[in-house]
Amino acid sequence: MRIVVAIGGSILVQDYSHDKYQEYSEILKDLSSEHEIFVVVGGGRPARDYIGLARNLGAGEAKCDDVGIEVTRINAKMMLLALGDYGYQKVPHNFQEALEYSATGKIIVMGGTEPAHSTDAVSAILAEFVNADLLINLTSVDGMYTKDPNKFDDAELVSEVTATYLLDFIKDKEVKAGTYEFFDQTAVQMIKRSELETVIANGNDPKNLIKAINGEKIGTRVISG
Ligand code: UTP
């Protein structure tokens, strides 16, 4: 399969430990013997910190986004260091480059592309661009809940949702630099229009990536409609 894997920055960059990069790189290396893998990494706390700094200096939203993009690309470089020879040692800055570099047969790792969306959207557009069989979004929550699980005890994990429903669910969320919550609208629009098979799962356990690929019941599966 051709698979796009989005890994949230909050998963990878935890107190600047290299553990998660290492754990993910081992799994990605194994998977690459059977699958064609594209990875998109997020910015996490460092992106938010630098965006905050830029905002305090008077930078507008698009410039703050640009700062966030630079941080995601540094995180992508870290993943390439962890992958070593298994990864193509250059971070693509756009989808065309990602496709070109993939001709080497190596794992491609990228961060952001341009302002006004998050790396969730990058992963969904990349999945469209390379005609991926599966998009897996590894984030800091288990998937989509019926309501905010931090506030409501009776919140339930939704195992399957249509792209249309998900779009409606997230439509009122913040879209400022560094503040994309749960899942970004552009990403869902891409998933909807191209009927991308998508799984959103908790990335704190890297083995969830293997489970998602094996079709095990995990997280939230986004279905067409
Ligand atoms: P993230 O994708 O990490 O955003 O990109 P996020 O959802 O806020 O954070 P996590 O990692 O999932 O917790 C960081 C920031 O970089 C900018 C946005 O400002 C985003 O919030 N960005 C990223 C872009 O403007 N364009 C891109 O293609 C990627």
Side-chain angles (χ1 to χ4, degrees):
M1 281 199 286
R2 187 173 266 202
I3 303 168
V4 174
V5 183
I7 311 175
S10 50
I11 301 294
L12 285 175
V13 192
Q14 291 171 4
D15 301 326
Y16 295 93
S17 156
H18 61 285
D19 292 351
K20 279 286 181 289
Y21 281 105
Q22 208 137 47
E23 286 173 48
Y24 268 108
S25 67
E26 292 310 318
I27 290 174
L28 292 166
K29 284 179 198 171
D30 278 352
L31 290 170
S32 70
S33 62
E34 246 183 282
H35 304 284
E36 215 179 327
I37 309 279
F38 294 77
V39 183
V40 179
V41 302
R45 170 102 194 266
R48 270 186 286 280
D49 286 350
Y50 274 103
I51 286 168
L53 206 162
R55 197 173 271 132
N56 288 341
L57 290 170
E61 281 305 305
K63 285 216 173 115
C64 288
D65 281 339
D66 196 49
V67 167
I69 292 168
E70 292 294 341
V71 178
T72 62
R73 288 176 179 161
I74 290 178
N75 291 343
K77 272 196 172 183
M78 295 303 128
M79 183 59 90
L80 285 175
L81 287 174
L83 287 169
D85 204 35
Y86 284 79
Y88 184 77
Q89 292 296 319
K90 198 168 171 198
V91 177
H93 283 197
N94 57 56
F95 304 106
Q96 186 61 40
E97 283 179 0
L99 190 58
E100 280 169 26
Y101 299 169
S102 73
T104 59
K106 299 203 176 207
I107 301 171
I108 304 305
V109 188
M110 68 189 291
T113 51
E114 65 279 305
H117 53 65
S118 77
T119 48
D120 288 343
V122 173
S123 66
I125 301 168
L126 181 62
E128 278 195 323
F129 204 89
V130 303
N131 199 14
D133 301 296
L134 182 61
L135 169 63
I136 301 170
N137 190 290
L138 297 162
T139 180
S140 53
V141 292
D142 289 337
M144 178 189 160
Y145 279 84
T146 45
K147 37 187 142 167
D148 188 344
N150 296 318
K151 292 187 194 147
F152 301 94
D153 287 343
D154 59 342
E156 281 174 39
L157 183 67
V158 180
S159 60
E160 213 170 72
V161 69
T162 64
T164 308
Y165 187 90
L166 181 56
L167 201 53
D168 191 54
F169 185 75
I170 60 173
K171 71 174 188 301
D172 300 323
K173 305 275 187 240
E174 278 261 42
V175 289
K176 281 190 160 174
T179 61
Y180 289 94
E181 283 183 40
F182 179 51
F183 214 61
D184 134 6
Q185 293 174 36
T186 311
V188 187
Q189 271 155 357
M190 302 302 116
I191 290 167
K192 187 175 171 184
R193 76 174 185 181
S194 294
E195 298 183 351
L196 294 170
E197 193 178 335
T198 305
V199 178
I200 304 168
N202 196 323
N204 278 308
D205 182 357
K207 290 197 192 71
N208 284 345
L209 171 56
I210 302 168
K211 290 183 182 166
I213 291 175
N214 290 342
E216 288 178 40
K217 200 167 179 291
I218 187 159
T220 300
R221 197 166 279 270
V222 188
I223 54 171
S224 62

